[in-house]
Amino acid sequence: MNALNSINSETSLPELFRALPEARTVFNRYGLRGCGGAHGPAESLGLFASAHGVALDELIAQIRRLADNQQARREAREQLRADAAPRLADAIYRPFFLAAMTVVLTAGAAWGVLLLWKIGLGGSFTGVSVHEVNAHGHAQIMGWVGLFIMGFAYQAFPRMWQVELPAPGLAVVAWLATLAGITMRSTAMMFADSGWALPVHQAGGVLEILAVSAFGAQMLCAFRRSEESFKPYVGFIFAALACFLTQAVYGTWHIDQLLRADNRPDLLAQIATFQAPLRDLQVQGVAMLMIFGVGLRMFPAIFGLPEIPARRSWAALGILLVALGLEMGLFLAYRLTGNHALAAALLLPWLLLPIGAGLIVVPWRLWRPLPVGSERSAKFVRVAFLWLFISFAMLLFLPVYRMVSGIEFSHAYYGAIRHAITVGFISLTIVGMAAKVVPTLCGIEPEKLPRLYWPFILINLGCLFRVVAQIGTDWDPAFFKVIGFSGMLEWTGLAIWAGHLVRVMLGRGRYRQSAEPDWGPAPERIGPDDKVAAALSWFPELEEVFVAHGFGLVKRPVLRRTVARQVSIRQGCRMKGVDPETFLRALNRAVEHRGCSDCCSEH
Ligand code: HEM
C-alpha cells in the first residue's frame, strides 16, 4: 500500500489502482469511467483533478476514506463488477477519430495533392474546377475537422462536466449520418455535371444537418444535466457548436446553388459572394472557437499553462464573435451593394481577430517551453498558434500585397492564408492533441511513445513550402512546377501520424497491452456470469483448472483475446457439457488455496 501512504498529486492512476483497485469508483464519479483500459489512464492524480475540475484534496480525502473502510471497499468491488461490461460511451471517440483519419488521407489530403498537381502542371489555379476544389474543402472541414471535434466532444465533454453522455446510441447514428453525408456531398461535388449530383447532395446535406443537430443537442443536454457553471470556455464551445450547425445549413444551401447554376457567370457570382463567409464560419467560427474553448479548459491541466481570468476570456470571446460577424457581414454587404468602402472596412475585423486571440494566447507565452506535458504533443500545439498569428498577419498585410503586386484579387494569396490556418493551425492542433489524448485514453503513457518528429517536420515543412510557393506563383510561374511536392510532404506527415495512432488505438504491436479490457478488481468468489477471460485475468493460475475440465483452448492466446472475453463460465460449461456447479466449486477452491501448495495437494 505504498502508493496509498504517500498519495499526492504526482501519484499515477495505474499505480494507485494497483494498490487500491476499488479507488476507481471514486474516479468514476468524476468522469473516469471506461478510460485507460485495464490499468487506468496513464496520468497523475493532479492532472486528473485539474482536467476533470475536482479539488485534489477532496479527491485524496475520498480515496483515504475508502481505503480505511472495509465495508465501503466491499461495496466498491461489487459496483465495479456490476459496471465491468464495456459501454458504448467508454471509447466513443474511436470511430470518429478513425473516420477522420480515413477522410483526411483520402478525399481530404490525397485528393488535395492531386488537385495541387493538376494546378501545378496546368500552371493556373483555375486549372481545376470549383466543384472539385469544394469536394476537397468539404471533406476536410466536415470529415477531418468535424469528425474530430465530434469524437473529442462526445468523449471528453460529458466527463469534464461529470455526467454520463446522454443517449450514447445517438452518437453512433450521428457518426453514420455524418460519414454518409460527407461521402454523398463530396461525391456529388466531384461529379457535379451528373444528373444525380443535386439530389444526392441535398440528401447528404440533410443527413449532415441532422447529425450536427443531434450532436449539439446531446452536448447541450449533458451540460444542462451537469453542475458546471457557464464559464468562458463553455461559451467558446457553444459558440463553436452554433457555428457548426449554421455552417451545415448555410454550406448545404450554398453548394446547392452552385450545383443548380445554369451558366458560368451565375456560378462565379454565387462563389464570389457566398463562399468566403462560409469558409470564415467554418475555419474561424467552428474550428478556432472550439480550439480556444478546449484550450482554456485543458491547456492549464495538460501543459501547465496559466489559467486565463474569466473577464479576459469573456472579452476575447466577445471580440472574436464581433470580428467573425463583421467579417462575414461586411463582405456580404460589400458584394451585394458593390460599395468598396465596406470592403475597406474589413480591416477592422481583421485587426480584431489577433486582438481577441492575443488576449488568451499572449499570457500562455507559448514561445517559451511549456511548464509540463510531453514535448511529443506540445511542439505541435505551440507551432500551431504561431501559424494562427501568421495567417492573421497575412490578412492584415493583404492591402499592402494588393498594392505591391498590382493584383486586385490574388487567388494565390488568399489560398495561402487559408492553408496557413487550416493546415498550420487547425491540423497541427488536431495532430498534437490526438497524440496526447489517444494514448492516455488507451492507458499508455504518451511520454514513453515516439516523439513524432517526422510528422512534425513534414507537416510544417509542407505547409511552409505551400504558403511560400503559392504566393510565389503570383511572381514567377516556375513556382507552379514545384507546388505539388508541398502536398506530398503534408500527406506523408499525416499518414505517419495516423498510422502510429491507429496502432495505439487498436493495441497493435508493442501497444498490445491496451487491448486488455478492464475487468475490475478480483472478486472474492468467481460466479457463473463472470467471463472466462476475466477469471483468468484475475487469477492466472486457474488455467490448469480450466484445462483439467476440458477447456484446453484457453491456452491459445488468440482465443484468450477473443472468444474467452465474450463467453461466461456458465455459457462455456453449456458448450462443453460440463456441470457448472462442479466446475465453479473447483475454480473457487483453487482461488481459496492460491499460493498454498500443501493445501492444494490435499484437495
Ligand atoms: C494536407 C494537404 C492539403 C492539400 C494538398 C490541399 C490542397 C488544396 C488545393 C489544391 C486547393 C485549391 C486551391 C486553392 O484554393 O488554394 C484547396 C482548397 C481548399 N482546402 Fe485544402 N489542402 C490540404 C489541406 C487542407 C486542410 C487540412 C483543410 C481544412 C482543414 C483544407 C481546406 C480547404 C478548403 C476549405 C479549400 C477550398 C477553399 C475555397 O473555398 O476555395 N485543405 N486545398
Side-chain angles (χ1 to χ4, degrees):
M1 296 267 165
N2 277 345
L4 287 180
N5 297 337
S6 55
I7 185 167
N8 59 41
S9 74
E10 297 306 315
T11 308
S12 86
L13 263 55
E15 193 189 341
L16 176 65
F17 294 159
R18 268 196 297 277
L20 182 69
E22 299 86 342
R24 263 186 186 262
T25 50
V26 175
F27 289 82
N28 284 353
R29 268 175 237 147
Y30 300 113
L32 175 76
R33 178 100 180 48
C35 288
H39 312 294
E43 61 190 30
S44 68
L45 217 64
L47 177 54
F48 178 91
S50 141
H52 291 248
V54 197
L56 181 64
D57 294 348
E58 174 58 23
L59 196 63
I60 294 179
Q62 287 191 33
I63 297 164
R64 291 224 163 99
R65 274 201 298 276
L66 177 71
D68 294 341
N69 184 332
Q70 287 305 322
Q71 173 62 19
R73 287 180 65 173
R74 250 192 307 280
E75 284 168 13
R77 276 199 295 276
E78 284 310 310
Q79 196 182 327
L80 285 174
R81 291 187 64 209
D83 286 353
R87 294 177 322 168
L88 197 56
D90 290 350
I92 192 73
Y93 73 96
R94 286 188 187 199
F96 285 90
F97 281 19
L98 288 171
M101 289 169 182
T102 309
V103 173
V104 77
L105 293 179
T106 54
W111 181 243
V113 173
L114 274 176
L115 292 178
L116 207 49
W117 275 110
K118 253 172 116 174
I119 289 170
L121 296 176
S124 158
F125 282 97
T126 49
V128 288
S129 90
V130 167
H131 298 300
E132 284 177 316
V133 171
N134 281 344
H136 153 83
H138 182 65
Q140 291 288 45
I141 297 288
M142 196 63 202
W144 171 230
V145 183
L147 281 170
F148 189 85
I149 288 179
M150 289 168 85
F152 186 89
Y154 273 132
Q155 183 78 27
F157 292 173
R159 289 164 200 278
M160 275 180 192
W161 301 330
Q162 297 164 22
V163 291
E164 298 276 324
L165 170 65
L170 194 55
V172 179
V173 178
W175 177 79
L176 278 171
T178 311
L179 262 187
I182 295 163
T183 312
M184 289 161 79
R185 289 191 63 193
S186 282
T187 313
M189 291 177 218
M190 282 182 198
F191 298 93
D193 295 335
S194 314
W196 49 263
L198 191 60
V200 168
H201 175 265
Q202 285 167 341
V206 171
L207 283 177
E208 282 184 9
I209 293 168
L210 290 176
V212 175
S213 309
F215 163 62
Q218 281 170 285
M219 292 303 113
L220 202 59
C221 250
F223 180 71
R224 291 187 56 147
R225 279 184 196 173
S226 77
E227 287 171 12
E228 180 76 323
S229 51
F230 198 74
K231 296 182 181 143
Y233 86 91
V234 180
F236 271 93
I237 286 173
F238 280 104
L241 291 180
C243 292
F244 199 18
L245 183 58
T246 313
Q247 70 79 35
V249 178
Y250 177 4
T252 303
W253 166 80
H254 169 61
I255 305 287
D256 184 83
Q257 296 299 304
L258 293 182
L259 292 173
R260 280 171 194 272
D262 293 328
N263 49 52
R264 200 158 165 78
D266 282 358
L267 180 90
L268 293 181
Q270 174 73 22
I271 290 194
T273 307
F274 295 102
Q275 186 129 327
L278 173 66
R279 299 304 180 210
D280 294 339
L281 194 59
Q282 293 171 327
V283 171
Q284 287 154 7
V286 183
M288 187 182 77
L289 293 180
M290 184 58 84
I291 291 174
F292 275 114
V294 171
L296 280 172
R297 178 69 170 76
M298 291 187 70
F299 289 178
I302 60 179
F303 297 130
L305 297 179
E307 300 267 0
I308 307 296
R311 280 169 69 116
R312 197 179 172 105
S313 307
W314 282 123
L317 177 59
I319 292 173
L320 290 174
L321 285 177
V322 168
L324 180 62
L326 280 178
E327 197 180 23
M328 294 172 63
L330 284 172
F331 185 85
L332 283 172
Y334 152 65
R335 286 290 312 160
L336 295 172
T337 61
N339 182 344
H340 285 270
L342 293 170
L346 276 168
L347 269 180
L348 175 63
W350 292 346
L351 196 62
L352 289 177
L353 284 170
I355 293 176
L359 280 177
I360 292 175
V361 181
V362 172
W364 279 342
R365 299 171 167 216
L366 294 172
W367 54 89
R368 300 208 308 212
L370 303 189
V372 292
S374 152
E375 181 226 356
R376 169 180 150 97
S377 43
K379 61 180 172 296
F380 287 98
V381 175
R382 291 172 69 196
V383 177
F385 281 93
L386 176 64
W387 277 112
L388 177 69
F389 282 89
I390 290 178
S391 78
F392 288 156
M394 288 172 74
L395 260 182
L396 281 171
F397 193 70
L398 188 71
V400 181
Y401 187 81
R402 203 177 281 151
M403 261 175 354
V404 176
S405 68
I407 306 171
E408 183 51 32
F409 172 80
S410 164
H411 187 127
Y413 192 82
Y414 270 105
I417 298 178
R418 198 208 40 250
H419 201 75
I421 196 165
T422 56
V423 175
F425 175 55
I426 301 172
S427 300
L428 279 180
T429 308
I430 293 179
V431 167
M433 287 301 282
K436 165 82 191 161
V437 168
V438 170
T440 306
L441 288 175
C442 292
I444 299 176
E445 269 182 65
E447 279 71 16
K448 295 194 175 143
L449 294 177
R451 310 275 89 184
L452 297 176
Y453 282 119
W454 278 113
F456 178 72
I457 293 169
L458 290 170
I459 301 173
N460 274 299
L461 204 64
C463 189
L464 184 66
F465 185 3
R466 167 79 179 275
V467 170
V468 173
Q470 184 141 342
I471 298 174
T473 58
D474 274 345
W475 305 89
D476 186 342
F479 280 102
F480 275 115
K481 294 201 174 64
V482 292
I483 198 167
F485 288 108
S486 70
M488 291 167 73
L489 293 176
E490 290 168 338
W491 187 91
T492 312
L494 287 169
I496 297 174
W497 162 83
H500 163 75
L501 278 195
V502 168
R503 278 156 52 86
V504 172
M505 265 191 251
L506 302 182
R508 291 284 148 78
R510 58 185 155 137
Y511 313 121
R512 176 155 293 157
Q513 48 161 346
S514 63
E516 178 68 25
D518 172 15
W519 299 112
E524 274 159 26
R525 292 185 69 72
I526 295 180
D529 294 319
D530 287 326
K531 298 280 191 277
V532 172
L536 285 164
S537 144
W538 292 321
F539 309 111
E541 59 275 26
L542 289 187
E543 190 179 286
E544 283 174 28
V545 186
F546 273 94
V547 174
H549 285 78
F551 294 92
L553 292 177
V554 297
K555 279 183 163 292
R556 306 226 329 240
V558 175
L559 293 175
R560 281 273 273 268
R561 285 202 303 274
T562 52
V563 184
R565 288 183 186 170
Q566 308 300 326
V567 172
S568 68
I569 291 181
R570 191 201 307 273
Q571 290 165 326
C573 286
R574 209 177 299 141
M575 287 172 185
K576 290 272 168 199
V578 174
D579 175 39
E581 282 186 16
T582 315
F583 182 47
L584 278 167
R585 252 199 315 277
L587 287 174
N588 282 315
R589 216 172 26 235
V591 169
E592 281 163 25
H593 297 282
R594 273 177 308 148
C596 165
S597 52
D598 296 346
C599 313
C600 291
S601 59
E602 277 172 32
H603 290 270

